[in-house]
Amino acid sequence: LDRLAAEGVLFERHYTTSSQTAPAHASLFTGLMPSEHGLVKNGTPVPDGVPWLPEALAARGYGTGAAIGALVLARRDGFARGFGWFD
């Protein structure tokens, strides 16, 4: 971990796009603000047609996986898109 920290990038300030988990994660995976990707509250499915980072990575041959701990990031709401494994 020390080597990773020494060779990595340190962000001393970070801001989220939303106080709710699902819209904030959708922003992380799309690079868009909630008003742009359309997911503005928990319990709302990921809109079809928005770019999704795991799909782009998988399409380029990267292995993708997600271990989630929040029900608002459920497979049924589209958060598994592009992940090779999703648990």
Side-chain angles (χ1 to χ4, degrees):
L1 287 177
D2 289 337
R3 190 184 97 226
L4 177 63
E7 296 174 3
V9 176
L10 172 65
F11 294 90
E12 293 191 14
R13 293 183 186 199
H14 178 77
Y15 302 93
T16 186
T17 59
S18 175
S19 61
Q20 295 189 35
T21 303
H25 277 70
S27 290
L28 287 170
F29 291 136
T30 63
L32 302 171
M33 297 296 289
S35 60
E36 296 172 304
H37 57 61
L39 199 158
V40 295
K41 65 180 183 175
N42 287 338
T44 305
V46 174
D48 291 330
V50 295
W52 201 246
L53 180 61
E55 288 179 322
L57 292 172
R60 288 164 181 78
Y62 288 91
T64 56
I68 65 163
L71 293 177
V72 297
L73 303 177
R75 178 183 300 278
R76 72 175 180 275
D77 288 331
F79 284 92
R81 284 177 36 193
F83 286 107
W85 61 267
F86 188 86
D87 188 10

